[in-house]
Amino acid sequence: IGFSVSSVVSGVFISRYSTGAIIPIFSGLLLAIALVLLFVKTGSAPAKAVTLKEMQIGRVFRDKKFLIFLCYVFFMQLAHRGSFTFYPLLIKQLGGDTSLVGYASALMFVSEAVIMFLSKRMLKKTKPEILVMISSFAFVLWHFFFSICQTPGQVVLACLMDGPSFALFTIGTLYYMDSIAPPDIRTTYQTVAYSIYFGLSGIVGNMASGWLIENLGYQPMYWIGMTVTLTSTIVFFFVRRVAGAKAAGAALEK
């Protein structure tokens, strides 16, 4: 809700004045928050810093199940990061102004809030990895909607897909990590997964998307994103089925 309100206000303010004009306002707000935090007493001892050795990253990369999932989410987010980064430029290209970017962001955050509110109920009925695969089909629809948008308003409405796609993906991934990771290094699993699907895929995806837009245009970028997302999901589904069948066969032999 906070993101939604600030996005709308920021978009309108930037559209009326300039991007630079809002920087002092946010700087003042951040300074006020920092001053408040200085006077907050938690009553607990400072947390101990975790060393690289204690994170046991080597154990993480020996987990084949986790590595397969990492490859899957890397390619899925590879396609998404570029489409997310460049959607404000798409709005501008279609004749929209900065205020519409604020409204689009607000719709994204509202749709995310709805999915997160319903997430506990969904997790009771569906496995986390299935939620991730469902989110991938929502990503495909998001790419498709962006590819056919003819007006700025249509782009804004398409941003409602952020909840069923990115929010569902985030929740599913978090709980999937929790289900497969050894209890003593769960945070390491989450850290590695985050650095891959949000960091590395973001770097590669934004660079590739920028090149595609420059040389082919927006529509081909979204169609390629649809193809990559759908292909990675199908491959993961079959790999998961094969791995499950092998595990079941090994259990019967024992």
Side-chain angles (χ1 to χ4, degrees), residues 79-91 93 146 205-224:
H80 170 65
R81 298 316 305 169
S83 65
F84 176 79
T85 299
F86 292 105
Y87 86 87
L89 296 181
L90 179 61
I91 290 177
Q93 186 189 50
F146 274 173
N206 284 325
M207 291 176 63
S209 297
W211 185 89
L212 288 171
I213 291 172
E214 187 70 22
N215 291 276
L216 301 176
Y218 284 93
Q219 192 175 53
M221 180 195 71
Y222 292 125
W223 281 101
I224 292 172

Side-chain angles (χ1 to χ4, degrees), residues 56-101:
Q56 303 183 61
I57 294 178
R59 284 177 61 190
V60 172
F61 286 101
R62 288 194 295 270
D63 187 337
K64 293 181 180 179
K65 191 175 183 180
F66 178 63
L67 292 179
I68 292 171
F69 185 75
L70 273 186
C71 290
Y72 167 45
V73 296
F74 170 78
F75 283 105
M76 189 209 298
Q77 291 301 298
L78 182 74
H80 170 65
R81 298 316 305 169
S83 65
F84 176 79
T85 299
F86 292 105
Y87 86 87
L89 296 181
L90 179 61
I91 290 177
K92 185 176 181 180
Q93 186 189 50
L94 295 175
D97 60 20
T98 310
S99 64
L100 289 179
V101 177

Side-chain angles (χ1 to χ4, degrees), residues 174-186:
L174 177 64
Y175 279 89
Y176 182 69
M177 294 297 101
D178 188 67
S179 67
I180 67 171
D184 57 326
I185 54 171
R186 278 176 178 161

Side-chain angles (χ1 to χ4, degrees), residues 7-252:
S7 295
V8 173
V9 173
S10 300
V12 172
F13 192 88
I14 292 172
S15 180
R16 181 171 296 183
Y17 300 101
S18 68
T19 304
I22 205 167
I23 293 176
I25 297 174
F26 280 127
S27 298
L29 290 172
L30 290 170
L31 178 61
I33 293 169
L35 292 174
V36 170
L37 291 175
L38 286 176
F39 295 98
V40 173
K41 295 182 179 180
T42 61
S44 60
K48 179 186 174 183
V50 179
T51 65
L52 192 62
K53 183 178 180 181
E54 290 173 329
M55 290 180 68
Q56 303 183 61
I57 294 178
R59 284 177 61 190
V60 172
F61 286 101
R62 288 194 295 270
D63 187 337
K64 293 181 180 179
K65 191 175 183 180
F66 178 63
L67 292 179
I68 292 171
F69 185 75
L70 273 186
C71 290
Y72 167 45
V73 296
F74 170 78
F75 283 105
M76 189 209 298
Q77 291 301 298
L78 182 74
H80 170 65
R81 298 316 305 169
S83 65
F84 176 79
T85 299
F86 292 105
Y87 86 87
L89 296 181
L90 179 61
I91 290 177
K92 185 176 181 180
Q93 186 189 50
L94 295 175
D97 60 20
T98 310
S99 64
L100 289 179
V101 177
Y103 289 119
S105 298
L107 284 180
M108 286 184 185
F109 298 131
V110 168
S111 65
E112 286 184 6
V114 172
I115 294 298
M116 290 181 179
F117 180 77
L118 298 173
S119 62
K120 186 175 181 180
R121 188 177 302 175
M122 289 186 289
L123 286 164
K124 287 181 178 179
K125 300 178 180 180
T126 310
K127 292 181 179 180
E129 61 266 37
I130 301 300
L131 291 182
V132 175
M133 285 191 282
I134 292 173
S135 76
S136 71
F137 290 107
F139 278 123
V140 169
L141 287 175
W142 196 358
H143 289 303
F144 173 73
F145 290 148
F146 274 173
S147 71
I148 63 173
C149 285
Q150 300 295 320
T151 66
Q154 291 174 349
V155 178
V156 173
L157 289 176
C159 288
L160 282 169
M161 292 302 300
D162 186 62
S165 56
F166 188 70
L168 196 61
F169 166 80
T170 303
I171 293 164
T173 300
L174 177 64
Y175 279 89
Y176 182 69
M177 294 297 101
D178 188 67
S179 67
I180 67 171
D184 57 326
I185 54 171
R186 278 176 178 161
T187 53
T188 304
Y189 269 67
Q190 293 168 6
T191 301
V192 171
Y194 187 84
S195 65
I196 295 296
Y197 78 73
F198 199 80
L200 184 60
S201 64
I203 295 170
V204 179
N206 284 325
M207 291 176 63
S209 297
W211 185 89
L212 288 171
I213 291 172
E214 187 70 22
N215 291 276
L216 301 176
Y218 284 93
Q219 192 175 53
M221 180 195 71
Y222 292 125
W223 281 101
I224 292 172
M226 288 170 55
T227 304
V228 172
T229 303
L230 192 58
T231 302
S232 63
T233 303
I234 293 171
V235 171
F236 176 72
F237 174 77
F238 282 106
V239 170
R240 181 175 171 272
R241 289 288 297 271
V242 171
K246 287 183 178 180
L252 287 174

